[in-house]
Amino acid sequence: MAGKIEFTAGNDDVDLRLDIVLSQHLGITRSAAARLVTQENVLVDSKGRRPSFKLKAGMRLQVHVEDEEEPETLKPYDLPLDILYEDAWIIVINKPAGLVVHPGAGNRDKTLVNALISNYPEISGVGSETRPGIVHRLDKLTSGVMVVARSDQAYQTLIDAFKEHKHTRVYQGLCYGHMKQSSGRIKTFMQRHPGDRKKMSSKVEEGREAITHWEVIEEWPQFSLLKLSLETGRTHQIRVHLNDIGHPVVGDAQYGGKRQANNVIDPQIRSYVKSLNRQMLHAWMLGITNPGTGEWMEFSCEIPDDMKRFIEILDEQ
């Protein structure tokens, strides 16, 4: 059933949740329908909505459906995790670049989720059947701080907090070029790229609102180190925003960061950039309200060695 589907909500759909209507119209499970919405594959009257959004008659729905493999039983994966904090309600980890968060096509059993159920078997039944404990994600090739829920109560509390933006997420990233001022804000719509469904685009006139705040930490010839704060958390948001304003993240093969390596003047820097196998983006700090104690907590981890080494090379020039 892969492809683009469009239909108009009828009288029978009035006041029903979006995920229920999608489930009924597409003949898929409600959880699969909710996943389509959260993965930004659904627009209602040209806007992104939540699975709980109540429909009205005449609303136009646009849905992109991709073929999915049948879910398999999750298998434990014996992988040591860099645990920053844990208690009865949450686990906070420093995810390394290269580790996929949850199983999917091509990555069935060596993901963060598989490692979590190996180290913490009790989370197997928390939240989603295929993504237990996961309340937010980092891209495979992005490193940094993530929180995982250890109970259903913690899971739902954190899910609601992330939807309502009652949290703080701050990244550090190395990008090409110099910003025109010391700080700023990028506000756009965002949706799936019309020419490549694996990518996102902010050069659109409809979709879900996406807001990124940025601040320059340091500059070198041809490069900048930025502090990036998310007001919203769309798929690939920082990477898309920086690429679409002409400052792609260094090493980002999907959003322009590899292609610009050919324009780097210094041969040592150019060689290092071309050797990178991931984008220079790190989830540096996460602030949340602990779902068990109600205490506001902030967790951070320093940038990884590959980003440190690149900064050292830039400092040497």
Side-chain angles (χ1 to χ4, degrees):
M1 189 178 60
K4 187 175 182 180
I5 299 171
E6 297 188 21
F7 65 93
T8 301
N11 291 331
D12 291 341
D13 302 318
V14 173
D15 290 333
L16 291 181
R17 288 171 55 107
L18 176 57
D19 54 359
I20 293 175
V21 172
L22 290 172
S23 174
Q24 293 173 346
H25 279 261
L26 304 181
I28 59 178
T29 65
R30 183 170 164 183
S31 61
R35 193 155 56 246
L36 282 173
V37 178
T38 56
Q39 290 178 346
E40 302 174 346
N41 283 316
V42 180
L43 294 178
V44 179
D45 285 345
S46 302
K47 295 182 179 180
R49 298 293 188 180
R50 296 178 180 177
S52 60
F53 177 75
K54 300 292 183 65
L55 291 170
K56 296 179 180 178
M59 285 184 163
R60 181 172 59 97
L61 283 76
Q62 298 171 285
V63 188
H64 178 79
V65 183
E66 299 174 349
D67 285 328
E68 290 190 350
E69 298 181 25
E70 287 296 317
E72 301 176 1
T73 302
L74 291 173
K75 301 175 182 178
Y77 174 38
D78 186 15
L79 176 72
L81 297 174
D82 184 2
I83 305 298
L84 302 176
Y85 173 84
E86 63 178 290
D87 60 25
W89 302 280
I90 59 173
I91 308 159
V92 181
I93 68 166
N94 177 18
K95 186 192 85 70
L99 181 63
V100 178
V101 170
H102 57 72
N107 295 283
R108 307 304 302 177
D109 56 11
K110 294 183 179 180
T111 72
L112 173 61
V113 162
N114 298 101
L116 284 166
I117 63 172
S118 176
N119 289 273
Y120 302 91
E122 72 276 8
I123 75 163
S124 295
V126 174
S128 168
E129 180 181 347
T130 56
R131 305 173 186 184
I134 301 299
V135 296
H136 70 118
R137 296 182 296 168
L138 293 178
D139 297 335
K140 174 184 177 180
L141 300 179
T142 297
S143 57
V145 184
M146 281 187 63
V147 63
V148 177
R150 296 185 76 169
S151 70
D152 285 327
Q153 179 267 330
Y155 177 84
Q156 194 56 56
T157 300
L158 288 170
I159 285 287
D160 291 343
F162 273 75
K163 285 180 179 178
E164 296 168 9
H165 312 303
K166 294 179 178 179
H167 66 287
T168 302
R169 278 188 282 178
V170 182
Y171 291 66
Q172 289 191 27
L174 287 147
C175 72
Y176 288 93
H178 294 164
M179 311 302 274
K180 293 181 179 180
Q181 53 208 47
S182 60
S183 62
R185 178 173 178 259
I186 305 169
K187 180 180 179 181
T188 68
F189 289 115
M190 189 170 288
Q191 61 167 286
R192 293 286 171 180
H193 193 288
D196 185 345
R197 299 303 300 182
K198 293 182 179 180
K199 296 175 64 176
M200 305 295 289
S201 176
S202 66
K203 293 183 175 180
V204 293
E205 296 182 356
E206 58 184 22
R208 303 181 75 184
E209 187 176 67
I211 303 173
T212 303
H213 298 264
W214 57 267
E215 179 182 335
V216 177
I217 299 175
E218 193 169 356
E219 291 181 336
W220 304 267
Q222 294 194 276
F223 298 95
S224 298
L225 175 64
L226 303 180
K227 174 183 175 182
L228 301 135
S229 303
L230 292 181
E231 189 170 324
T232 60
R234 309 305 176 206
T235 301
H236 302 173
Q237 179 174 313
I238 290 173
R239 298 163 60 197
V240 171
H241 268 166
L242 290 181
N243 182 49
D244 284 354
I245 66 170
H247 300 283
V249 178
V250 176
D252 191 343
Q254 194 171 18
Y255 294 104
K258 278 286 192 180
R259 185 170 59 252
Q260 286 214 22
N262 294 321
N263 299 324
V264 177
I265 297 172
D266 185 278
Q268 182 185 5
I269 297 175
R270 183 171 62 247
S271 176
Y272 187 82
V273 170
K274 287 188 173 184
S275 73
L276 294 172
N277 57 11
R278 68 104 165 191
Q279 59 264 8
M280 298 283 93
L281 185 64
H282 178 69
W284 171 67
M285 191 274 283
L286 174 68
I288 60 168
T289 298
N290 187 299
T293 66
E295 175 189 3
W296 176 259
M297 306 181 77
E298 293 184 355
F299 308 96
S300 63
C301 54
E302 63 181 13
I303 59 175
D305 290 343
D306 54 357
M307 291 180 67
K308 288 180 181 177
R309 177 56 186 151
F310 186 46
I311 289 173
E312 289 173 357
I313 293 173
L314 292 173
D315 286 339
E316 291 169 357
Q317 304 307 307

